[in-house]
Amino acid sequence: MTSDEIAPGEAAGLAQRVNFYREAAPDPVLPASRPVILQLDGHNIAELASRLGPRGLPDELFRAALRRACSDLLLHLSPRPSVAYVRSARVTLVFPPPSLETSPEEPGESSIPVFSNGVASVQGASRVAGYCSARFNAHLASELSSGAVSLEHKEDNLLGIVFFSSRTFAVPSVEEALHYLVWQCRSDDEAVQNSINHDGAKIVPSWALDSCVMKRELDQGGVGRRMHTRTVEGGFREFSADTLKLVAEPYWDEGHSPQPHDRGGGGAPTFPKPMSDNNTSVLAANQTIFGPNVYMFNPRMPASEIQGKATEIFKQMEANEFGPERYALLFAPGTYNVLFDVGFYTQVAGLGRNPDDVFIDGGVNVPAYWMPNRNATCNFWRSFENFSVSASAATNNTTTIAVSQAAPLRRLHIRSANGLWLFQVDPSTGAGGWASGGFMADSVVDGQVLPGSQQQWLSRNNRYGSWANAVWNMVFVGDANAPSQVNFPASPYTTVEQTPIIREKPYLYVTGEGHYEIFVPALQTETRGPSWANGPTPGESIPIRDFYVAHPSTTDAAGINTALDNGQHILFTPGIYKLDDALYVSQPSTVILGLGMPSLVPVGGRPALCVADVDGVTIAGLIIDASEVKSPALVEVGPPGSSVDHSANPTFLYDLTVRTVGGTANDVGITINSHNVVGDQLWLWRADHGQGAAWDSNPTRNGVVVNGDNVTIYGLFNEHHKEYQTLWNGDGGRVYFYQSEIPYDPPNQDSWKDKHGAVNGFASYKVADTVTSHEAWGLGIYSYFRDSPTKLENAIEVPDVEGVKLHHLTTIWLNGVPGSEITHIANGAGGRVYGNKPESAMRQTLTEFPTSNGA
C-alpha cells in the first residue's frame, strides 16, 4: 500500500493517518508531485548541556542557534520549504508540490538540493540533515564566541556534539500537510503536559517548551528581490483558509496571513495570550481571541464606559427578536458599579472561579418595555451566569428578570435587598405583565423570589430566603428550602427533595495568572442546594489551548470536524454558523460550548450535530436553527441502535434552543438514541410567530424523540410541533418539569388527527406503548387554537403499566376559537379545558396518574 491509497476522509482519525504516512509505508523515493514533509530531530542535546557546566544549556543559546539554522534551511534549500515549525529540538519543514511554488529561485540563493529529477530521496533528506547540523554548530560557535551568553566555562570540544537526523514522507495534499502540523502541535502540547509534575514545577528546560512558526518574507521596497525570515511564537492550532496559506504560499504576506497562537516563552504553553487587567479603556474589551462581539471587562475600566457599552448593546438588542447579532458581556473578577439591562442574544457572565468573585453593585435586569403592558412572554434567548449582583435604589433594590423560555439563570448570587422578581409590573394598570416560564439552577438568592405573574418555572439546586407564590406549575428539584407541595393543586408546587444526577454546566473563567480555562464540574448524584455554597464546585479545568475557538466569519464545518477529529473541544464565539455538513463528535468527553448564544444552521439537509455513542459529551449554550433544506433531525445524540451504558459518564445537553422559524423545516428537533443522556433546560420550538411562520411554511413533526434508556431531562420546554411534541420510546426515562403549548395553527380538525384519523389531535407528551418504566413530575400542557375550533382528546398518553408514574399534571386553555378544547389530561382521565370562565374551564389538574379512581 502507498500513501496514494489512503485519503483523509477514509481513516478513522488523523492520528491513524499520521502513523500511516510516517510508519506504515516508508518509501526511499517520494514523488515531488505531492507535498513532502521533512522532519529533522536533534540528538545529544543532554550531552551538550552537561559539558556547559552545572547550569546546563542556556535557553537563549540553544533557541538562537536552532532558529538561525532553521532560517538557513528556509533560505538555501532547493526547492524551498514553504514553512517551518520548530518545537524543542525538532524542525518540521513542508515542501508544497511544484504547482504551488510561485517564487522562482534566483542565482546563488539556493545551494542545497533536496529533490533530484522530480523526486525527494533519502539522499536529499540526509543532505538537509547534514546541512542543518553544520549550520546549528556554526551558529552555536558564533554565540559562544560573541560573549552574548555568559557561561561559567567553555570547552573547546563543544562543536559537533549535536547532530540532526531526518525522515521524509509524502501526504496526499497541502491540506493534509496542514492537518499533520495541527496534529503535531497538539501532540507536542500533550508531551509538555506529561513532562510537568503535579505541583506544576518544570522538569524540562524552557527551550524544550517553546514553539514557533518560521517563514520567508520579502523585503518591501529597495532594489531587487531580497528575502529574510520572520518568526512568530506559537504553533498551528486550527485548520482554516488563513493557516492553509502559511503552508501553501511561498512568502509571509503580512496583509492576510494569520498570527499563530502565542504560547509565551518559558514554562508550560500559555495559548492564547493571557487576559490582561492593564487595559483601562473599554475600547480594548472586545480585542481578544474571542472576537469583536465578546466584551472582556475588567475593574480598571471606567464604570461609566462599561455601563455605556452595555446600554448601547441593550438598545440594539432590546426588541431584536429574530436578528443575527449575538453578544457576550464577560466580567473579570472584581467589583463593578454599573446598572444595565439585557436584551436578546446576550450572555452576561462572570469570569471568576466562583460567583462571588465578580460583584456587580448596581444591577443587571431584564425589563419588558418593548411589548405592551410589560408582557415578557417573548423575552427569550439571553443568559446570566457565575456572578453576584446587588440592585441599587434606582431599581428599588430589586433584581428584575422578566423572561420566558431560553433565558437560564445559573450560578448566580443575588444579594439585592428586595430579592428577585421574575416578572415586571405594568405601571399603567398596576398588574404584573405576563411571563411564561423560565429556569434557575445552582444559585443563591439572599432575599425573596417573587414570581408574581410568572406562569411556570423550574428551580433546581437553589437556595433562597423564601419563595412567594405560584401561578400554574412551579417545580423545585434539589432546592435547599423548597416550598411544600402538600396543598397541590391550590398551591401549584411540585417538590423533589434531591436531584438524582447532575453535572453542572461548564463555564469559562480566568485563572490567577490571567489564562483562560473552561471549568467542567464533576458528576454528582442525590444533590441538594447549590454546588458552590459550601466551597468551590468540584471538577476539573481544561485550558483554552485544548479548544478550537470558532468564529463565524472564518470557520466552516470541515475545519470544526478536523478539530474534533484531532480530539479538540469546540468553543463557538457569537454569531451564525452555516454548516454544509454535520459536526461529528466522535471522541468521549468532548466539550462543545457556546458564548453569546451562537446559532448553528445545517444548510445541507444533515443534522447540525451528530454525537457518537461515546461517554461524557457536553453540548451547551447553542441555538440550533433549521434551514430551508429539511433535516431529519437537528441534533442526533447517538446513532440509531446505540447500546452502550453511559451511566458512569453521561452525555449532557445544557441550554439548547432548537427552533424552526418561518420558511425552514425539519422532522425532529433532538433525537436521543444513546442511553443515560441528561438534558438541562431544553427548548424545542416550532415558531408560532415571526415572519413566515404558518402551518405549511415551517413544518416539524416532533420536538424530541427519545429512544435511549435511562434518559433524564430537567426543564423540557417543547412547543407547537405538528404531531407529538415529545415521543418517548426508551425505558427508565425521567422528566422534571414539562411545559408545552400544542400548535396554535391547525387549519381544521381533519388536518390534526392521530391514529389514522380516529382521535382528535396528537398528545403533547407521548410515552410509547412498549415502555415499561417512566416517571415525570410537574407537567403543564396549554392550548391556544388560534385558527380553528380544534380539539385535543388527551394532553398526555402513556401505557397502562405499573412502572409508569406521573405526578402533578395540569392543562390550561390560554385562549382560542370558541369550540376548541383539551378534552382530557391523560388517557381519558381529567376534565376538559375550553374557556376562560369558570376557573375550571381554564385549568384542570391531576395530582397523580394513574389515579386511584380513574378520574
Side-chain angles (χ1 to χ4, degrees), residues 434-673:
W434 296 343
S436 184
F439 174 93
M440 180 169 67
D442 202 26
S443 295
V444 172
V445 181
D446 290 345
Q448 183 183 75
V449 179
L450 178 62
S453 53
Q454 181 66 249
Q455 296 163 357
Q456 57 265 318
W457 195 272
L458 173 62
S459 176
R460 180 185 61 69
N461 287 94
N462 299 304
R463 188 183 72 204
Y464 27 78
S466 61
W467 192 278
N469 74 291
V471 178
W472 292 331
N473 184 30
M474 299 286 177
V475 179
F476 306 86
V477 182
D479 278 9
N481 53 339
S484 171
Q485 64 177 355
V486 296
N487 291 323
F488 184 90
S491 298
Y493 298 134
T494 302
T495 298
V496 179
E497 289 297 315
Q498 292 182 314
T499 301
I501 183 169
I502 195 65
R503 175 188 290 125
E504 296 295 345
K505 180 189 170 189
Y507 57 91
L508 176 70
Y509 78 105
V510 178
T511 69
E513 294 75 31
H515 299 155
Y516 300 112
E517 297 193 351
I518 306 296
F519 187 78
V520 181
L523 183 69
Q524 296 183 298
T525 59
E526 306 303 332
T527 58
R528 194 164 185 255
S531 67
W532 51 272
N534 298 313
T537 302
E540 61 182 13
S541 293
I542 303 174
I544 198 67
R545 66 173 173 269
D546 289 346
F547 280 77
Y548 178 102
V549 180
H551 297 273
S553 61
T554 59
T555 300
D556 59 13
I560 297 170
N561 278 325
T562 296
L564 290 168
D565 192 32
N566 292 345
Q568 287 181 276
H569 310 283
I570 309 296
L571 189 145
F572 287 97
T573 61
I576 296 177
Y577 296 79
K578 294 190 175 181
L579 306 173
D580 60 1
D581 193 7
L583 305 182
Y584 298 98
V585 184
S586 59
Q587 303 295 325
S589 299
T590 299
V591 176
I592 297 179
L593 181 64
L595 283 183
M597 304 280 178
S599 289
L600 310 186
V601 187
V603 298
R606 299 281 297 139
L609 287 159
C610 291
V611 182
D613 194 21
V614 295
D615 276 355
V617 172
T618 292
I619 302 174
L622 298 171
I623 298 171
I624 315 294
D625 280 312
S627 73
E628 292 82 0
V629 180
K630 186 176 183 180
S631 296
L634 295 180
V635 177
E636 183 182 80
V637 183
S642 293
S643 58
V644 178
D645 182 347
H646 302 292
S647 56
N649 189 11
T651 283
F652 274 79
L653 312 176
Y654 308 89
D655 299 347
L656 301 184
T657 292
V658 179
R659 68 181 181 181
T660 310
V661 300
T664 68
N666 60 278
D667 284 333
V668 180
I670 300 178
T671 299
I672 300 176
N673 294 315

Side-chain angles (χ1 to χ4, degrees), residues 142-443:
S142 176
E143 292 290 328
L144 291 171
S145 63
S146 69
V149 177
S150 176
L151 299 174
E152 291 185 4
H153 65 276
K154 303 173 188 176
E155 296 189 20
D156 294 334
N157 60 344
L158 293 176
L159 303 184
I161 293 175
V162 173
F163 67 93
F164 287 80
S165 62
S166 63
R167 79 164 71 203
T168 56
F169 53 92
V171 294
S173 66
V174 69
E175 289 82 5
E176 193 72 343
L178 177 56
H179 287 159
Y180 172 74
L181 290 176
V182 170
W183 172 87
Q184 180 174 280
C185 180
R186 178 167 177 78
S187 299
D188 288 342
D189 287 350
E190 290 174 353
V192 168
Q193 293 303 315
N194 290 335
S195 70
I196 298 175
N197 69 19
H198 67 278
D199 294 323
K202 290 190 303 180
I203 60 173
V204 291
S206 175
W207 59 261
L209 304 177
D210 292 342
S211 66
C212 70
V213 172
M214 300 180 66
K215 191 170 177 68
R216 287 171 294 124
E217 188 171 48
L218 279 176
D219 291 334
Q220 301 300 317
V223 179
R225 292 162 46 86
R226 293 181 299 168
M227 288 187 301
H228 61 273
T229 58
R230 190 163 74 133
T231 301
V232 174
E233 302 300 324
F236 297 81
R237 292 300 301 181
E238 61 184 43
F239 187 105
S240 69
D242 282 341
T243 49
L244 189 60
K245 292 173 184 175
L246 283 175
V247 177
E249 295 185 358
Y251 299 117
W252 199 312
D253 181 351
E254 193 168 0
H256 63 254
S257 289
Q259 295 286 323
H261 297 303
D262 182 19
R263 299 172 187 279
T270 56
F271 163 74
K273 290 182 179 179
M275 180 179 181
S276 172
D277 63 359
N278 293 325
N279 294 325
T280 59
S281 171
V282 78
L283 296 175
N286 63 340
Q287 298 174 13
T288 69
I289 62 162
F290 303 111
N293 284 24
V294 175
Y295 286 82
M296 295 277 189
F297 300 123
N298 70 64
R300 291 171 59 87
M301 295 175 178
S304 60
E305 291 187 15
I306 296 174
Q307 182 163 319
K309 177 55 67 176
T311 300
E312 174 189 324
I313 291 171
F314 171 70
K315 288 180 178 178
Q316 178 190 12
M317 305 305 292
E318 178 182 9
N320 197 5
E321 185 177 6
F322 294 105
E325 294 82 6
R326 307 283 190 271
Y327 291 99
L329 309 182
L330 309 182
F331 291 80
T335 297
Y336 300 82
N337 298 112
V338 295
L339 167 61
F340 60 93
D341 296 328
V342 179
F344 282 101
Y345 307 112
T346 303
Q347 177 186 14
V348 180
L351 293 173
R353 178 67 174 78
N354 295 296
D356 286 324
D357 294 342
V358 174
F359 179 38
I360 299 178
D361 190 6
V364 181
N365 299 285
V366 179
Y369 307 136
W370 69 287
M371 289 185 70
N373 305 118
R374 301 298 194 263
N375 184 342
T377 56
C378 290
N379 271 3
F380 313 134
W381 305 309
R382 63 205 78 194
S383 68
F384 309 84
E385 187 171 5
N386 200 35
F387 62 89
S388 62
V389 60
S390 181
S392 69
T395 56
N396 193 33
N397 303 112
T398 303
T399 294
T400 296
I401 300 182
V403 293
S404 292
Q405 292 87 346
L409 316 180
R410 292 184 182 272
R411 292 180 62 83
L412 298 182
H413 183 186
I414 296 177
R415 308 184 193 179
S416 304
N418 287 332
L420 170 65
W421 288 21
L422 304 178
F423 73 111
Q424 191 175 26
V425 172
D426 178 7
S428 65
T429 65
W434 296 343
S436 184
F439 174 93
M440 180 169 67
D442 202 26
S443 295

